[in-house]
CSV table of all heavy atoms in Angstrom, one decimal:
chain,number,residue,atom,x,y,z
A,1,LEU,N,-23.9,5.0,-17.8
A,1,LEU,CA,-23.3,5.3,-19.1
A,1,LEU,C,-21.8,5.4,-19.1
A,1,LEU,O,-21.1,5.6,-20.1
A,1,LEU,CB,-23.8,6.6,-19.7
A,1,LEU,CG,-25.3,6.6,-20.0
A,1,LEU,CD1,-25.8,7.9,-20.5
A,1,LEU,CD2,-25.7,5.5,-21.0
A,2,ALA,N,-21.2,5.2,-17.9
A,2,ALA,CA,-19.7,5.3,-17.7
A,2,ALA,C,-18.9,4.4,-18.6
A,2,ALA,O,-17.9,4.8,-19.1
A,2,ALA,CB,-19.4,5.1,-16.3
A,3,PRO,N,-19.4,3.1,-18.9
A,3,PRO,CA,-18.5,2.2,-19.7
A,3,PRO,C,-18.5,2.5,-21.2
A,3,PRO,O,-17.8,1.9,-21.9
A,3,PRO,CB,-19.2,0.8,-19.4
A,3,PRO,CG,-20.1,1.0,-18.2
A,3,PRO,CD,-20.5,2.4,-18.3
A,4,VAL,N,-19.3,3.5,-21.6
A,4,VAL,CA,-19.5,3.7,-23.1
A,4,VAL,C,-19.2,5.1,-23.5
A,4,VAL,O,-19.1,6.0,-22.6
A,4,VAL,CB,-20.9,3.3,-23.5
A,4,VAL,CG1,-21.2,1.8,-23.3
A,4,VAL,CG2,-22.0,4.2,-22.8
A,5,THR,N,-19.0,5.3,-24.8
A,5,THR,CA,-18.9,6.7,-25.3
A,5,THR,C,-20.1,7.0,-26.1
A,5,THR,O,-20.7,6.1,-26.7
A,5,THR,CB,-17.6,6.8,-26.2
A,5,THR,OG1,-17.7,5.9,-27.3
A,5,THR,CG2,-16.3,6.6,-25.4
A,6,VAL,N,-20.5,8.3,-26.1
A,6,VAL,CA,-21.7,8.7,-26.7
A,6,VAL,C,-21.4,9.8,-27.8
A,6,VAL,O,-20.7,10.8,-27.5
A,6,VAL,CB,-22.7,9.3,-25.7
A,6,VAL,CG1,-23.9,9.8,-26.4
A,6,VAL,CG2,-23.1,8.2,-24.7
A,7,GLU,N,-21.7,9.5,-29.0
A,7,GLU,CA,-21.5,10.4,-30.1
A,7,GLU,C,-22.3,11.7,-30.0
A,7,GLU,O,-23.4,11.7,-29.6
A,7,GLU,CB,-21.8,9.7,-31.4
A,7,GLU,CG,-21.3,10.5,-32.7
A,7,GLU,CD,-21.6,9.8,-34.0
A,7,GLU,OE1,-22.7,9.2,-34.1
A,7,GLU,OE2,-20.7,9.8,-34.8
A,8,ALA,N,-21.6,12.8,-30.3
A,8,ALA,CA,-22.3,14.1,-30.2
A,8,ALA,C,-23.4,14.2,-31.1
A,8,ALA,O,-23.5,13.5,-32.1
A,8,ALA,CB,-21.3,15.3,-30.5
A,9,MET,N,-24.4,15.1,-30.8
A,9,MET,CA,-25.6,15.3,-31.6
A,9,MET,C,-25.4,15.6,-33.1
A,9,MET,O,-26.1,15.3,-34.0
A,9,MET,CB,-26.5,16.3,-30.9
A,9,MET,CG,-28.0,16.0,-31.2
A,9,MET,SD,-29.1,16.8,-30.0
A,9,MET,CE,-28.7,18.5,-30.2
A,10,ASP,N,-24.3,16.4,-33.3
A,10,ASP,CA,-24.0,16.8,-34.7
A,10,ASP,C,-23.1,15.7,-35.4
A,10,ASP,O,-22.7,16.0,-36.6
A,10,ASP,CB,-23.3,18.1,-34.7
A,10,ASP,CG,-22.0,18.2,-33.9
A,10,ASP,OD1,-21.6,17.1,-33.5
A,10,ASP,OD2,-21.5,19.3,-33.8
A,11,GLY,N,-22.8,14.6,-34.7
A,11,GLY,CA,-22.0,13.6,-35.4
A,11,GLY,C,-20.5,13.9,-35.4
A,11,GLY,O,-19.7,13.1,-35.9
A,12,GLU,N,-20.1,15.0,-34.8
A,12,GLU,CA,-18.7,15.4,-34.8
A,12,GLU,C,-18.1,15.1,-33.4
A,12,GLU,O,-18.3,16.0,-32.5
A,12,GLU,CB,-18.6,16.9,-35.2
A,12,GLU,CG,-19.2,17.2,-36.5
A,12,GLU,CD,-18.5,16.6,-37.7
A,12,GLU,OE1,-17.3,16.3,-37.6
A,12,GLU,OE2,-19.2,16.3,-38.7
A,13,GLY,N,-17.4,14.0,-33.2
A,13,GLY,CA,-16.8,13.7,-31.9
A,13,GLY,C,-17.8,13.2,-31.0
A,13,GLY,O,-18.9,12.8,-31.3
A,14,ASN,N,-17.4,13.1,-29.7
A,14,ASN,CA,-18.2,12.5,-28.6
A,14,ASN,C,-18.7,13.6,-27.7
A,14,ASN,O,-18.1,14.6,-27.5
A,14,ASN,CB,-17.4,11.4,-27.8
A,14,ASN,CG,-17.0,10.2,-28.7
A,14,ASN,OD1,-17.8,9.8,-29.6
A,14,ASN,ND2,-15.8,9.7,-28.5
A,15,ASP,N,-19.9,13.3,-27.1
A,15,ASP,CA,-20.4,14.2,-26.1
A,15,ASP,C,-20.0,13.6,-24.7
A,15,ASP,O,-19.6,12.5,-24.6
A,15,ASP,CB,-21.9,14.2,-26.2
A,15,ASP,CG,-22.6,15.4,-25.4
A,15,ASP,OD1,-22.8,15.3,-24.3
A,15,ASP,OD2,-22.8,16.4,-26.1
A,16,SER,N,-20.0,14.5,-23.7
A,16,SER,CA,-19.5,14.1,-22.4
A,16,SER,C,-20.4,14.7,-21.3
A,16,SER,O,-21.0,15.8,-21.5
A,16,SER,CB,-18.1,14.6,-22.2
A,16,SER,OG,-17.7,14.4,-20.8
A,17,LEU,N,-20.5,14.0,-20.2
A,17,LEU,CA,-21.2,14.5,-19.0
A,17,LEU,C,-20.3,15.2,-18.0
A,17,LEU,O,-20.6,15.5,-16.9
A,17,LEU,CB,-21.9,13.3,-18.3
A,17,LEU,CG,-23.1,12.7,-19.0
A,17,LEU,CD1,-23.7,11.5,-18.3
A,17,LEU,CD2,-24.2,13.7,-19.2
A,18,ALA,N,-19.0,15.4,-18.5
A,18,ALA,CA,-18.1,16.1,-17.6
A,18,ALA,C,-18.6,17.5,-17.2
A,18,ALA,O,-19.1,18.2,-18.1
A,18,ALA,CB,-16.7,16.3,-18.3
A,19,GLY,N,-18.5,17.8,-15.9
A,19,GLY,CA,-19.0,19.1,-15.5
A,19,GLY,C,-20.5,19.1,-15.2
A,19,GLY,O,-21.0,20.1,-14.7
A,20,TYR,N,-21.2,18.0,-15.5
A,20,TYR,CA,-22.6,18.0,-15.3
A,20,TYR,C,-22.9,17.7,-13.8
A,20,TYR,O,-22.4,16.7,-13.3
A,20,TYR,CB,-23.2,16.8,-16.2
A,20,TYR,CG,-24.6,16.6,-16.1
A,20,TYR,CD1,-25.6,17.6,-16.1
A,20,TYR,CD2,-25.1,15.2,-16.0
A,20,TYR,CE1,-26.9,17.3,-16.1
A,20,TYR,CE2,-26.4,14.9,-16.0
A,20,TYR,CZ,-27.4,16.0,-16.0
A,20,TYR,OH,-28.7,15.7,-15.9
A,21,ARG,N,-23.7,18.5,-13.2
A,21,ARG,CA,-23.9,18.4,-11.7
A,21,ARG,C,-25.2,18.9,-11.3
A,21,ARG,O,-25.9,19.6,-12.1
A,21,ARG,CB,-22.8,19.1,-11.0
A,21,ARG,CG,-22.9,20.6,-11.2
A,21,ARG,CD,-21.7,21.3,-10.6
A,21,ARG,NE,-20.4,21.0,-11.2
A,21,ARG,CZ,-20.0,21.5,-12.3
A,21,ARG,NH1,-20.7,22.5,-12.9
A,21,ARG,NH2,-18.9,21.2,-12.9
A,22,SER,N,-25.6,18.6,-10.1
A,22,SER,CA,-26.8,19.1,-9.5
A,22,SER,C,-26.4,19.9,-8.2
A,22,SER,O,-25.4,19.5,-7.5
A,22,SER,CB,-27.8,18.0,-9.1
A,22,SER,OG,-28.9,18.5,-8.4
A,23,LEU,N,-27.1,20.9,-7.9
A,23,LEU,CA,-26.9,21.6,-6.7
A,23,LEU,C,-27.8,21.1,-5.5
A,23,LEU,O,-27.8,21.7,-4.4
A,23,LEU,CB,-27.1,23.1,-6.9
A,23,LEU,CG,-26.2,23.8,-7.9
A,23,LEU,CD1,-26.5,25.3,-8.1
A,23,LEU,CD2,-24.8,23.6,-7.6
A,24,LEU,N,-28.7,20.2,-5.8
A,24,LEU,CA,-29.6,19.6,-4.9
A,24,LEU,C,-29.0,18.3,-4.3
A,24,LEU,O,-28.3,17.6,-5.0
A,24,LEU,CB,-30.9,19.3,-5.5
A,24,LEU,CG,-31.6,20.4,-6.3
A,24,LEU,CD1,-32.9,19.9,-7.0
A,24,LEU,CD2,-31.9,21.6,-5.3
A,25,HIS,N,-29.3,18.0,-3.0
A,25,HIS,CA,-28.8,16.8,-2.4
A,25,HIS,C,-29.9,16.1,-1.7
A,25,HIS,O,-30.9,16.7,-1.3
A,25,HIS,CB,-27.7,17.1,-1.4
A,25,HIS,CG,-26.4,17.4,-2.1
A,25,HIS,ND1,-25.5,16.5,-2.5
A,25,HIS,CD2,-25.8,18.6,-2.5
A,25,HIS,CE1,-24.4,17.0,-3.1
A,25,HIS,NE2,-24.7,18.3,-3.1
A,26,GLY,N,-29.8,14.8,-1.6
A,26,GLY,CA,-30.8,14.0,-0.9
A,26,GLY,C,-30.3,12.6,-0.7
A,26,GLY,O,-29.1,12.3,-0.7
A,27,ARG,N,-31.3,11.7,-0.5
A,27,ARG,CA,-30.9,10.3,-0.2
A,27,ARG,C,-30.3,9.6,-1.5
A,27,ARG,O,-30.6,9.9,-2.6
A,27,ARG,CB,-32.1,9.5,0.3
A,27,ARG,CG,-33.1,9.2,-0.8
A,27,ARG,CD,-34.4,8.7,-0.2
A,27,ARG,NE,-35.3,9.8,0.2
A,27,ARG,CZ,-36.6,9.6,0.6
A,27,ARG,NH1,-37.1,8.4,0.6
A,27,ARG,NH2,-37.3,10.7,0.9
A,28,ARG,N,-29.5,8.5,-1.2
A,28,ARG,CA,-28.9,7.8,-2.3
A,28,ARG,C,-30.0,6.9,-3.0
A,28,ARG,O,-31.0,6.4,-2.3
A,28,ARG,CB,-27.8,6.8,-1.8
A,28,ARG,CG,-26.6,7.6,-1.4
A,28,ARG,CD,-25.5,6.6,-1.0
A,28,ARG,NE,-24.3,7.2,-0.6
A,28,ARG,CZ,-23.2,6.5,-0.2
A,28,ARG,NH1,-23.3,5.2,-0.1
A,28,ARG,NH2,-22.1,7.1,0.1
A,29,PRO,N,-29.9,6.6,-4.3
A,29,PRO,CA,-30.9,5.7,-4.9
A,29,PRO,C,-30.7,4.3,-4.2
A,29,PRO,O,-29.7,3.9,-3.7
A,29,PRO,CB,-30.4,5.6,-6.3
A,29,PRO,CG,-29.7,6.9,-6.6
A,29,PRO,CD,-29.0,7.2,-5.3
A,30,GLU,N,-31.8,3.6,-4.2
A,30,GLU,CA,-31.9,2.2,-3.6
A,30,GLU,C,-32.0,1.2,-4.7
A,30,GLU,O,-32.7,1.3,-5.7
A,30,GLU,CB,-33.1,2.1,-2.7
A,30,GLU,CG,-33.2,0.8,-2.0
A,30,GLU,CD,-34.5,0.7,-1.2
A,30,GLU,OE1,-35.3,1.6,-1.3
A,30,GLU,OE2,-34.6,-0.3,-0.4
A,31,THR,N,-31.2,0.2,-4.6
A,31,THR,CA,-31.2,-1.0,-5.5
A,31,THR,C,-31.7,-2.2,-4.8
A,31,THR,O,-31.1,-2.5,-3.7
A,31,THR,CB,-29.9,-1.2,-6.3
A,31,THR,OG1,-28.9,-1.4,-5.3
A,31,THR,CG2,-29.5,0.0,-7.1
A,32,VAL,N,-32.6,-2.9,-5.4
A,32,VAL,CA,-33.2,-4.1,-4.7
A,32,VAL,C,-33.3,-5.3,-5.6
A,32,VAL,O,-34.0,-5.2,-6.7
A,32,VAL,CB,-34.6,-3.7,-4.1
A,32,VAL,CG1,-35.2,-4.9,-3.4
A,32,VAL,CG2,-34.6,-2.5,-3.2
A,33,GLY,N,-32.7,-6.4,-5.2
A,33,GLY,CA,-32.8,-7.6,-6.0
A,33,GLY,C,-33.8,-8.6,-5.3
A,33,GLY,O,-33.8,-8.7,-4.0
A,34,CYS,N,-34.7,-9.2,-6.0
A,34,CYS,CA,-35.7,-10.0,-5.4
A,34,CYS,C,-35.6,-11.4,-6.1
A,34,CYS,O,-35.2,-11.6,-7.2
A,34,CYS,CB,-37.1,-9.5,-5.7
A,34,CYS,SG,-37.4,-7.8,-5.0
A,35,ALA,N,-36.2,-12.4,-5.3
A,35,ALA,CA,-36.1,-13.8,-5.8
A,35,ALA,C,-37.1,-14.1,-6.9
A,35,ALA,O,-36.8,-14.9,-7.8
A,35,ALA,CB,-36.4,-14.7,-4.7
A,36,SER,N,-38.2,-13.3,-6.9
A,36,SER,CA,-39.2,-13.6,-7.9
A,36,SER,C,-39.9,-12.3,-8.3
A,36,SER,O,-39.8,-11.3,-7.5
A,36,SER,CB,-40.3,-14.6,-7.4
A,36,SER,OG,-41.0,-14.0,-6.3
A,37,GLN,N,-40.6,-12.3,-9.4
A,37,GLN,CA,-41.4,-11.1,-9.8
A,37,GLN,C,-42.5,-10.8,-8.8
A,37,GLN,O,-42.8,-9.6,-8.5
A,37,GLN,CB,-41.9,-11.2,-11.2
A,37,GLN,CG,-42.5,-9.9,-11.8
A,37,GLN,CD,-43.0,-10.1,-13.2
A,37,GLN,OE1,-43.9,-10.9,-13.5
A,37,GLN,NE2,-42.3,-9.4,-14.1
């Protein structure tokens, strides 16, 4: 969602994920491209 802005739920201004965080840590997500389905 980084390339876009998201309107706040009440329609007044934009909402933000600033300060949104997790205290848990683990492995990185994996992305996989394949030649066929």
Side-chain angles (χ1 to χ4, degrees):
L1 298 178
V4 297
T5 57
V6 177
E7 189 175 44
M9 205 157 63
D10 58 8
E12 304 296 331
N14 294 323
D15 198 273
S16 171
L17 291 175
Y20 177 46
R21 67 186 64 82
S22 172
L23 302 180
L24 307 174
H25 285 274
R27 71 190 86 171
R28 290 182 178 181
E30 181 184 9
T31 55
V32 181
C34 300
S36 66
Q37 190 177 64

